[in-house]
Amino acid sequence: MDSTFLGVLAGFGLKMSQPADHSPPHLVELLNPNARITELLENLGVLHLFNISQGPLSTPEAVEARSPETAQSSRAEVTRACLEAHQTLMEINPQNVARFKEVAKFLAEDLQKLEHRS
């Protein structure tokens, strides 16, 4: 898992733990994460956003499998998503600023260049 994916995952976890409609918070459940994933989440200060479970996958009977839709994203959209993921990690845990400020700066500059081209 790279920092972008962890930032997206943390953003989703944050959104679920602080619902806008004032419904009860829900923790995102991670089933059988390996020790490295758990350690990464802990080191980034976002483990509290997740419920870690071990064991077999059990889904309610009403769940049906769906194939994901493919989407064509522009380079600017991908860069914006990467920037937002890193900003989320820095907002959740100020200790992440030192880790990701240069990455965020690079992504912000790249995004600005991409947006000026279009």
Side-chain angles (χ1 to χ4, degrees):
M1 268 194 215
D2 68 2
S3 57
T4 299
F5 182 77
L6 288 167
V8 170
L9 188 62
F12 182 63
L14 186 61
K15 182 183 262 186
M16 294 302 293
S17 71
Q18 301 172 347
D21 63 0
H22 304 294
S23 62
H26 299 284
L27 294 181
V28 173
E29 185 167 354
L30 299 179
L31 181 64
N32 300 322
N34 65 35
R36 174 84 172 118
I37 300 299
T38 304
E39 182 181 326
L40 281 171
L41 294 170
E42 186 173 3
N43 287 340
L44 292 173
V46 298
L47 187 60
H48 67 280
L49 299 173
F50 304 98
N51 182 33
I52 305 295
S53 298
Q54 301 294 328
L57 174 64
S58 63
T59 57
E61 290 182 31
V63 173
E64 68 179 67
R66 298 190 72 182
S67 297
E69 295 181 22
T70 57
Q72 296 293 337
S73 299
S74 70
R75 183 166 170 219
E77 291 169 323
V78 171
T79 302
R80 185 176 298 104
C82 291
L83 175 59
E84 289 172 2
H86 287 87
Q87 288 171 331
T88 297
L89 289 171
M90 292 187 294
E91 288 169 12
I92 292 172
N93 183 359
Q95 291 179 341
N96 290 331
V97 172
R99 291 180 178 128
F100 300 121
K101 70 179 176 186
E102 291 301 317
V103 173
K105 180 182 174 186
F106 171 79
L107 291 167
E109 290 170 356
D110 195 34
L111 180 60
Q112 189 173 30
K113 289 175 191 172
L114 292 168
E115 290 178 337
H116 279 68
R117 287 184 193 158
S118 33

